[in-house]
């Protein structure tokens, strides 16, 4: 028998966390951090709406912080179970959770300065590096497609999700006393076809489905020729001895860019141009993309077969220290700088923007979704001047956008995958989307033959699904 409670990424996109009871075992699917509006998220992230000590196991779909970011808090609440995920996810979590602890400390120190001035009590960080150390010990990496017995007639199997390195679909099988099995399938985040990672697997026989809905209400624009456009930008800055600045998301987007640049360089389709990877987090994530070859799609495997590491090429420089990063300011172009953060909210990219955004020869290349109220969004909206480090700065550099690198399937992709797995499905739940997206998804699921489809609100419980 399976019961489900929806506690995060329910009618919203962040904080992915669903509590499944299968034959009496209490299993948490994901333990993500709620992101966004600071104060409310800060308070929501602090408390769990269930008894943590009573959780038997966590199954983690992938390492993105909105799916994994609250794991270190479990360590503070007497969690004694295991955290099952793929080996690549375990490695990425080590990097991302340590980074998250650093950000928590930094953010709280910033807020506390103001609180202290106002005579208020200081806040505590959500968690500390020591909490990350203790939760990392609870990780139990399991290879893809290997069935793991959790006891009480319940088993978990992870399958490729094609979203980021290590991302998995979670299959939970609960066998009842009469020997029948009820299968729950959770997508985590579902990817779209891309050259580096294997595509999402088709898992048959699911009775209950939890499906993400990020792009349930729209299709991506037709995949533009990413390589062709990158080539054009690089030729442009080469001619003008200018700089191409790419604000990068550390996991996924950066590696896709490097992969395309690798081909352009090795096929000699662009003039020799220094390319700087200037983000310690993105560099660490890239090293893990190099390590976990078991996740590669055919195209990436073909690189390995001809002896090519698809993330390393002549002209690529990995910038390590902040001094090296700042030294790039005084170097003349042409050069490409890939630097975090992806939405231009923090990190080294801010220095590069400040120093280069006033020069019309330079190009700023935006490669992904930009949330409201971020500098990245203002750049995409062609605002000028913009505020960088508290200073109004005129935008004269040219702003371009490549939208084809999304790590999420769009509406058509989601429904193609659903049609392949829906077989004998009796019930579906749309999660991981704002209200409009999950409602759209529930409608689509019904239109595509799901007998029952809901878009549950946070805190809702469903018995015997
Ligand atoms: Zn994700």
């Amino acid at each position: 028998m399976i019961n489900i409670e929806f506690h995060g990424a329910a009618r919203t996109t962040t904080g992915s966390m669903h509590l499944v009871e299968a034959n009496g075992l209490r299993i948490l699917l994901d333990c993500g951090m709620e992101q966004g509006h600071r104060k409310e998220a800060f308070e929501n992230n602090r408390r769990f709406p269930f008894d943590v000590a009573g959780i038997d196991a966590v199954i983690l779909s992938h390492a993105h912080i909105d799916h994994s970011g609250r794991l270190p808090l479990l360590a503070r609440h007497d969690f004694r179970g295991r955290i099952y995920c793929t080996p690549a996810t375990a490695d990425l979590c080590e990097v991302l959770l340590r980074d998250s602890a650093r950000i928590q400390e930094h953010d709280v120190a910033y807020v506390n300065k103001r609180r202290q001035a106002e005579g208020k009590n200081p806040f505590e960080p959500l968690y500390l590096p020591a909490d990350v150390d203790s939760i990392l010990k609870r990780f139990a990496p399991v290879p893809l497609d290997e069935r793991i017995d959790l006891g009480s007639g319940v088993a978990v199997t992870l399958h490729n999700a094609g979203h980021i390195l290590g991302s998995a679909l979670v299959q939970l099988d609960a066998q009842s006393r009469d020997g029948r099995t009820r299968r729950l399938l959770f997508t985590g985040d579902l990817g779209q076809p891309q050259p580096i990672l294997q595509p999402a697997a088709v898992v048959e026989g699911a009775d209950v489905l939890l499906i993400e809905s990020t792009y349930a209400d729209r299709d991506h624009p037709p995949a533009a020729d990413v390589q062709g456009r990158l080539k054009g930008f690089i030729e442009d800055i080469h001619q003008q001895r200018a700089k191409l600045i790419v604000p990068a998301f550390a996991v996924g987007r950066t590696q896709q860019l490097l992969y395309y640049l690798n081909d352009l360089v090795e096929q000699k389709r662009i003039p020799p141009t220094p390319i700087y990877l200037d983000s310690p987090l993105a560099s660490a994530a890239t090293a893990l993309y190099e390590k976990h070859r078991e996740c590669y799609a055919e195209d990436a495997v073909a690189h390995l077969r001809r002896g090519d590491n698809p993330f390393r090429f002549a002209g690529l420089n990995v910038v390590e220290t902040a001094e090296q990063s700042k030294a790039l300011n005084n170097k003349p172009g042409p050069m490409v700088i890939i630097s975090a953060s992806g939405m231009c909210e923090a990190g080294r990219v801010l220095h590069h923007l400040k120093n280069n955004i006033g020069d019309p020869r330079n190009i700023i290349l935006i490669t992904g979704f930009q949330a409201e109220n971020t500098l990245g969004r203002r750049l995409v909206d062609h605002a000028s001047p913009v505020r960088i480090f508290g200073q109004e700065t005129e935008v004269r550099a040219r702003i371009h956008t490549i939208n084809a690198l999304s790590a999420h399937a769009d509406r058509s992709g989601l429904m193609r995958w659903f049609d392949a797995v829906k077989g004998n499905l009796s019930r579906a739940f749309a999660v991981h989307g704002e209200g409009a997206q999950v409602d759209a998804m529930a409608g689509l699921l019904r239109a595509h033959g799901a007998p029952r489809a809901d878009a549950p609100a946070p805190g809702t419980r469903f018995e015997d699904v």
Side-chain angles (χ1 to χ4, degrees):
M1 173 153 124
I2 297 179
N3 307 323
I4 312 178
E5 282 174 24
F6 294 89
H7 289 297
R11 305 193 71 81
T12 183
T13 41
T14 67
S16 180
M17 192 164 67
H18 315 294
L19 178 57
V20 174
E21 293 166 6
N23 295 352
L25 281 186
R26 291 163 66 81
I27 298 163
L28 203 56
L29 300 180
D30 286 350
C31 190
M33 189 178 297
E34 204 175 292
Q35 292 163 319
H37 204 65
R38 231 175 215 180
K39 186 152 185 281
E40 199 187 315
F42 190 76
E43 277 158 21
N44 286 348
N45 282 327
R46 225 160 248 282
R47 37 165 211 260
F48 288 100
F50 45 79
D51 170 30
V52 171
I55 300 292
D56 296 290
V58 177
I59 304 170
L60 183 59
S61 65
H62 65 291
H64 271 150
I65 286 296
D66 64 318
H67 293 256
S68 72
R70 262 197 277 183
L71 284 170
L73 265 185
L74 292 180
R76 292 196 163 190
H77 284 81
D78 269 349
F79 170 67
R80 295 187 196 286
R82 298 233 152 264
I83 299 163
Y84 297 96
C85 62
T86 63
T89 294
D91 278 352
L92 268 178
C93 272
E94 180 165 356
V95 171
L96 292 179
L97 292 177
R98 287 197 200 288
D99 184 66
S100 172
R102 264 195 304 275
I103 294 171
Q104 310 296 325
E105 284 189 303
H106 180 271
D107 279 5
V108 162
Y110 179 82
V111 171
N112 280 346
K113 244 191 225 166
R114 206 187 56 224
R115 289 182 67 84
Q116 211 171 7
E118 293 167 356
K120 293 178 180 162
N121 287 336
F123 282 141
E124 290 280 312
L126 199 52
Y127 46 79
L128 299 169
D131 298 312
V132 175
D133 291 337
S134 41
I135 206 66
L136 288 173
K137 293 189 187 118
R138 311 231 60 97
F139 273 68
V142 295
L144 283 169
D145 304 317
E146 197 170 301
R147 192 181 158 92
I148 305 294
D149 188 4
L150 301 180
S152 306
V154 181
V156 61
T157 315
L158 302 175
H159 306 275
N160 258 313
H163 169 59
I164 59 162
L165 188 78
S167 64
L169 311 170
V170 177
Q171 170 194 325
L172 262 184
D173 293 326
Q175 197 175 41
S176 60
R177 283 210 190 90
D178 61 11
R180 281 185 312 168
T181 295
R182 197 134 179 93
R183 174 166 296 175
L184 178 147
L185 186 61
F186 169 47
T187 60
D189 289 350
L190 206 61
Q192 63 167 347
Q194 43 124 326
I196 305 173
L197 301 174
Q198 284 170 40
V202 170
V203 178
E204 292 179 345
D207 301 293
V208 184
L209 176 68
L210 273 62
I211 184 169
E212 71 124 318
S213 315
T214 316
Y215 288 109
D217 61 346
R218 67 201 122 132
D219 279 326
H220 296 319
D225 170 18
V226 176
Q227 241 168 5
R229 291 192 66 202
L230 279 173
K231 175 177 174 339
F233 296 139
I234 291 170
E235 284 167 345
D236 183 318
I237 56 141
H238 205 269
Q239 250 172 11
Q240 309 214 48
R241 304 188 64 72
K243 294 181 182 177
L244 172 63
I245 313 278
V246 191
F249 295 84
V251 183
R253 209 68 47 93
T254 293
Q255 291 75 32
Q256 285 189 59
L257 284 166
L258 292 176
Y259 192 91
Y260 288 123
L261 289 168
N262 173 74
D263 282 0
L264 287 173
V265 169
E266 301 204 335
Q267 294 160 15
K268 302 196 168 46
R269 292 174 60 202
I270 48 172
T273 309
I275 295 172
Y276 294 94
L277 176 58
D278 185 17
S279 155
L281 191 62
S283 302
T286 303
L288 294 176
Y289 268 75
E290 291 179 277
K291 172 181 171 189
H292 286 284
R293 298 175 166 188
E294 76 277 11
C295 303
Y296 286 9
E298 189 44 49
D299 199 271
V301 172
H303 279 80
L304 298 181
R305 247 188 253 123
R306 41 175 202 268
D308 176 36
N309 175 339
F311 304 105
R312 302 271 160 182
F313 45 87
L316 175 67
N317 304 280
V318 177
V319 178
E320 278 162 20
T321 67
E323 286 68 37
Q324 290 169 341
S325 170
K326 282 182 191 144
L328 294 180
N329 293 336
N330 305 320
K331 277 202 181 129
M335 68 168 73
V336 179
I337 302 175
I338 302 170
S339 185
S341 74
M343 297 194 200
C344 313
E345 280 300 274
R348 295 180 181 179
V349 78
L350 287 176
H351 290 279
H352 299 306
L353 288 175
K354 188 170 176 358
N355 280 288
N356 296 294
I357 208 164
D359 185 338
R361 297 174 308 146
N362 294 334
I363 297 176
I364 317 289
L365 179 59
I366 303 286
T367 58
F369 175 76
Q370 304 293 311
E372 301 265 347
N373 302 319
T374 60
L375 174 57
R377 179 62 161 267
R378 282 190 282 280
L379 293 178
V380 170
D381 291 344
H382 295 285
S384 180
V386 292
R387 190 168 270 272
I388 305 177
F389 293 128
Q391 256 181 12
E392 296 291 331
T393 313
E394 214 60 53
V395 179
R396 296 202 185 87
R398 292 161 290 160
I399 313 290
H400 288 283
T401 310
I402 289 185
N403 276 325
L405 298 175
S406 176
H408 287 269
D410 63 3
R411 176 175 47 195
S412 305
L414 285 164
M415 296 326 291
R416 257 196 311 277
W417 181 84
F418 176 74
D419 286 338
V421 304
K422 67 188 179 188
N424 53 347
L425 199 73
S426 61
R427 192 141 197 191
F429 297 94
V431 295
H432 202 283
E434 301 299 331
Q437 281 92 48
V438 286
D439 287 338
M441 180 52 104
L444 281 170
L445 293 169
R446 286 189 288 267
H448 281 244
R452 291 184 72 179
D454 291 278
T460 322
R461 180 181 167 91
F462 293 81
E463 304 252 348
D464 198 11
V465 294

